[in-house]
Amino acid sequence: MPNAIEQIVDAYVRLKNRRGLDELMMHRQRLAVDLKSKSGSFDFSLPIGKIDEEIAIIEAGLARLAADAPELGPTRFR
């Protein structure tokens, strides 16, 4: 059974929503940077690992979208 991020990415790819995928990627990247900069007694390795997995899923979605519509290029401004 696909998890939530896989379902969201699949929906964005089906709708050809490059902007949505880009925003999702930027959000996850900001979270990763924020968590990696934290220090203290709490171990952030588990949430960082989960976010890294989600980034990989989003990257795969972006690759699928690019493969489905190569004429659109890396970004779409129409």
Side-chain angles (χ1 to χ4, degrees):
M1 175 181 216
N3 64 25
I5 195 72
E6 290 171 335
Q7 292 176 345
I8 292 166
V9 169
D10 286 342
Y12 282 145
V13 170
R14 274 195 321 272
L15 295 171
K16 299 183 184 349
N17 187 345
R18 171 69 190 232
R19 181 178 290 179
L21 285 172
D22 286 337
E23 289 174 0
L24 196 61
M25 175 67 85
M26 287 188 296
H27 179 258
R28 292 304 188 279
Q29 288 171 335
R30 281 192 305 268
L31 285 174
V33 167
D34 186 42
L35 286 176
K36 289 175 184 177
S37 70
K38 302 278 185 205
S39 63
S41 61
F42 187 78
D43 180 15
F44 290 100
S45 62
L46 199 59
I48 290 169
K50 183 66 175 169
I51 290 171
D52 287 342
E53 287 175 20
E54 291 178 355
I55 288 172
I57 292 167
I58 297 166
E59 287 174 341
L62 286 166
R64 285 177 25 217
L65 187 61
D68 289 346
E71 70 279 357
L72 296 178
T75 57
R76 182 177 160 186
F77 297 104
R78 292 186 200 166

